[in-house]
């Protein structure tokens, strides 16, 4: 009887409670109606993030994509990137109906989860935002926040920087990294103090955030490539005060502290992470903004599965193989930040550093506005020559002899009177 309870009845009751638990009136859809800014929108979405220690093995498996959903999730992500006009004309694939939708919000297309249970996402795959018009994109930069609810402040920071720099996409995970306290099957821990959980999307390639990140990367390369001067994929993280305590911001591209890696960071080649480090240091002169070439901080993102793939590691090898100085592309930028660096007071300076790091990629008919550093509609120059020619024609008409004869006759009439 005890075995029957443990193996059959108890799991069934847990599943029933999980599926049909008390519902909350607030929904992610209401966020689009109440939010006034993109920062407010993502803050509202973040309230539905799957919280700490939420899953067990059964409920985690139920929340994962099944059948064609993983492939269709990638399709939905790329469809948002491809929109150029009306977001409502782009529908999610059939397998995602009832779970996800695409809506418009203040000039942006938003791919987000609509299904919740007791105020928590039913699936927790995350959400994505991109400008509704290609002309609204100023930079081929993609910004993400993989650790909502854990790296506090990074969700709002990512949204603000995305919006103010005219970047191409914003991606935010839908689960706290500790939502399922079971070790990742992808990245193994090397010490008791180092945990990589299944719901940590930076260290588990089974997480939907990983699929979305790769889908964004593939779309960028298929459509425009990723030139070093104008393109990058940025992950924003937060670190504790006792970790790498001397650094306020620690940047890396997925290479560690080896001599070959340090040489890559310090050689004469221009790279996005080097430019960002210089610009952030300029923006925050009182802070220490470091690279692995000038710090022993271990937060180098060498085990970040998204970073590994962006650095040339094949998808099937991201769990077992790290990037090297020979494979690294430099397209991946990983920022570990102290709490002060994530504070909203510093959003504008962070954005300016990013603007100074990447060139604009304006669409046809758009030009760089030197005031805003964003792409703006090109003004048609006034045709001064044509205006001058028109004035000249009017003067020539007045000087025309027949015209003067008519004026002479007209004035003579009054003189006779």
């Amino acid at each position: 009887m005890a075995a029957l309870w443990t193996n059959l009845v108890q799991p069934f009751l847990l599943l029933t409670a999980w599926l049909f638990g008390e519902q909350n009136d607030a929904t992610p859809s209401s966020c689009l109606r109440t939010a006034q800014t993109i920062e407010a929108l993502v803050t509202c979405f973040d309230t539905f993030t799957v919280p700490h220690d939420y899953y067990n093995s059964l409920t985690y498996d139920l929340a994962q994509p099944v059948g064609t959903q993983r492939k269709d999730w990638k399709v939905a992500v790329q469809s948002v990137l491809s929109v150029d006009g009306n977001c409502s004309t782009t529908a999610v694939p059939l397998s995602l109906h009832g779970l996800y939708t695409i809506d418009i919000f203040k000039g942006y297309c938003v791919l987000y989860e609509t299904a919740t249970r007791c105020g928590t996402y039913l699936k927790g795959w995350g959400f994505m935002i991109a400008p509704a018009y290609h002309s609204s994109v100023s930079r081929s930069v993609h910004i993400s926040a993989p650790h909502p609810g854990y790296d506090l402040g990074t969700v709002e920071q990512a949204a603000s920087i995305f919006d103010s720099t005219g970047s191409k996409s914003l991606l935010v995970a839908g689960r706290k990294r500790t939502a399922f306290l079971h070790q990742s099957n992808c990245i193994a821990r090397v010490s008791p103090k180092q945990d990589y959980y299944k719901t940590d999307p930076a260290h588990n390639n089974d997480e939907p955030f990983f699929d979305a990140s790769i889908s964004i990367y593939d779309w960028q390369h298929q459509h425009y490539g990723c030139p070093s001067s104008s393109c990058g994929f940025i992950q924003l993280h937060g670190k504790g005060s006792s970790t790498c305590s001397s650094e306020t911001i620690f940047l890396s591209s997925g290479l560690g502290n080896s001599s070959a890696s340090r040489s890559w960071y310090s050689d004469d080649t221009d790279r996005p992470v080097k430019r960002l480090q210089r610009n952030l240091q300029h923006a925050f002169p009182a802070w220490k903004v470091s690279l692995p070439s000038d710090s022993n901080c271990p937060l180098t993102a060498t085990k970040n599965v998204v970073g590994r793939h962006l650095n040339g590691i094949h998808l099937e090898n991201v769990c077992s193989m790290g990037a090297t100085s020979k494979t690294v592309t430099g397209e991946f930028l990983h920022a570990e930040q102290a709490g002060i660096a994530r504070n909203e007071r510093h959003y504008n300076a962070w954005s300016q550093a990013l603007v100074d790091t990447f060139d604009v990629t304006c669409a046809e008919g758009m030009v760089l506005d030197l005031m805003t550093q964003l792409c703006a509609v090109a003004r048609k120059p006034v045709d001064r020559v044509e205006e001058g020619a028109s004035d000249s024609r009017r003067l020539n008409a007045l000087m025309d002899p027949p015209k003067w004869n008519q004026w002479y006759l007209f004035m003579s009439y009054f003189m006779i009177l």
Side-chain angles (χ1 to χ4, degrees):
M1 183 62 70
L4 177 64
W5 169 261
T6 302
N7 297 326
L8 183 61
V9 178
Q10 189 179 39
F12 174 76
L13 293 176
L14 286 171
L15 175 59
T16 303
W18 188 77
L19 289 174
F20 303 107
E22 180 183 356
Q23 297 299 307
N24 191 304
D25 291 337
T27 65
S29 298
S30 66
C31 295
L32 281 83
R33 296 191 298 270
T34 59
Q36 298 301 311
T37 64
I38 196 165
E39 292 93 336
L41 177 66
V42 301
T43 299
C44 185
F45 280 163
D46 195 25
T47 62
F48 299 94
T49 297
V50 181
H52 172 78
D53 199 15
Y54 183 81
Y55 294 124
N56 57 35
S57 295
L58 178 62
T59 54
Y60 176 73
D61 288 343
L62 286 170
Q64 287 293 86
V66 295
T68 63
Q69 286 182 337
R70 191 175 294 275
K71 177 179 68 69
D72 290 343
W73 168 240
K74 297 177 183 178
V75 170
V77 168
Q78 292 203 351
S79 67
V80 172
L81 292 170
S82 297
V83 170
D84 188 17
N86 191 349
C87 306
S88 61
T89 62
T90 302
V92 297
L94 185 61
S95 72
L96 303 185
H97 283 194
L99 297 174
Y100 271 81
T101 192
I102 299 170
D103 276 336
I104 184 74
F105 177 81
K106 300 185 182 301
Y108 291 104
C109 291
V110 185
L111 171 66
Y112 69 101
E113 184 172 359
T114 58
T116 62
R117 174 191 168 276
C118 301
T120 298
Y121 286 129
L122 186 66
K123 294 294 185 179
W125 299 347
F127 64 86
M128 180 205 164
I129 304 175
Y133 292 88
H134 291 176
S135 58
S136 299
V137 178
S138 296
R139 288 169 178 81
S140 297
V141 173
H142 304 269
I143 300 173
S144 63
H147 293 150
Y150 196 91
D151 294 353
L152 300 179
T154 54
V155 173
E156 292 81 5
Q157 180 192 32
S160 178
I161 295 173
F162 159 74
D163 182 43
S164 59
T165 59
S167 292
K168 177 58 182 175
S169 76
L170 170 68
L171 176 66
V172 178
R175 300 164 175 171
K176 192 171 182 177
R177 67 187 300 178
T178 59
F180 185 25
L181 298 175
H182 191 284
Q183 289 297 314
S184 169
N185 295 327
C186 179
I187 302 294
R189 64 180 181 179
V190 295
S191 72
K193 296 182 179 180
Q194 194 176 49
D195 290 309
Y196 300 122
Y197 297 116
K198 278 198 170 186
T199 43
D200 181 353
H203 301 102
N204 186 9
N205 63 341
D206 285 333
E207 282 293 284
F209 175 91
F210 175 80
D211 297 315
S213 298
I214 302 310
S215 191
I216 292 170
Y217 170 81
D218 288 343
W219 184 93
Q220 176 64 43
H221 276 266
Q222 290 164 6
H223 287 78
Y224 302 104
C226 191
S228 171
S229 61
S230 59
C231 172
F233 302 84
I234 302 171
Q235 277 189 11
L236 296 177
H237 294 258
K239 66 181 185 67
S241 58
S242 61
T243 305
C244 305
S245 57
S246 63
E247 273 86 17
T248 309
I249 301 176
F250 181 70
L251 301 173
S252 70
S253 282
L255 286 180
N257 307 99
S258 68
S259 58
S261 297
R262 287 175 179 267
S263 296
W264 185 88
Y265 286 110
S266 58
D267 64 18
D268 294 332
T269 304
D270 180 55
R271 308 187 197 280
V273 73
K274 295 180 185 180
R275 298 197 302 270
L276 183 59
Q277 187 270 336
R278 290 195 301 268
N279 293 327
L280 283 171
Q281 190 66 80
H282 176 75
F284 304 108
W287 297 356
K288 184 177 181 182
V289 183
S290 303
L291 295 171
S293 53
D294 46 49
S295 171
N296 290 320
C297 179
L299 303 176
T300 53
T302 57
K303 295 181 180 180
N304 187 299
V305 289
V306 175
R308 283 182 171 184
H309 182 62
L310 270 56
N311 278 326
I313 304 301
H314 292 298
L315 289 174
E316 61 271 20
N317 296 325
V318 294
C319 295
S320 58
M321 187 181 299
T324 69
S325 58
K326 294 182 179 180
T327 65
V328 65
T329 63
E331 298 171 8
F332 177 62
L333 292 89
H334 182 273
E336 290 282 359
Q337 308 170 87
I340 189 174
R342 293 171 262 152
N343 190 285
E344 63 181 345
R345 300 194 311 270
H346 305 302
Y347 288 174
N348 290 339
W350 232 110
S351 295
Q352 186 59 53
L354 199 67
V355 162
D356 294 338
T357 298
F358 293 101
D359 294 341
V360 293
T361 51
C362 298
E364 184 177 354
M366 308 293 287
V367 295
L368 173 64
D369 184 313
L370 296 178
M371 292 292 292
T372 65
Q373 294 295 299
L374 300 175
C375 297
V377 177
R379 295 182 179 180
K380 185 177 180 181
V382 178
D383 192 346
R384 299 294 181 186
V385 174
E386 188 61 32
E387 278 193 351
S390 179
D391 292 340
S392 176
R393 284 195 295 270
R394 285 194 292 269
L395 180 61
N396 289 338
L398 291 174
M399 298 296 290
D400 184 52
K403 297 285 184 183
W404 275 106
N405 290 335
Q406 293 175 14
W407 277 103
Y408 178 77
L409 291 173
F410 178 75
M411 295 301 293
S412 297
Y413 172 79
F414 286 98
M415 292 174 64
I416 294 172
L417 293 176

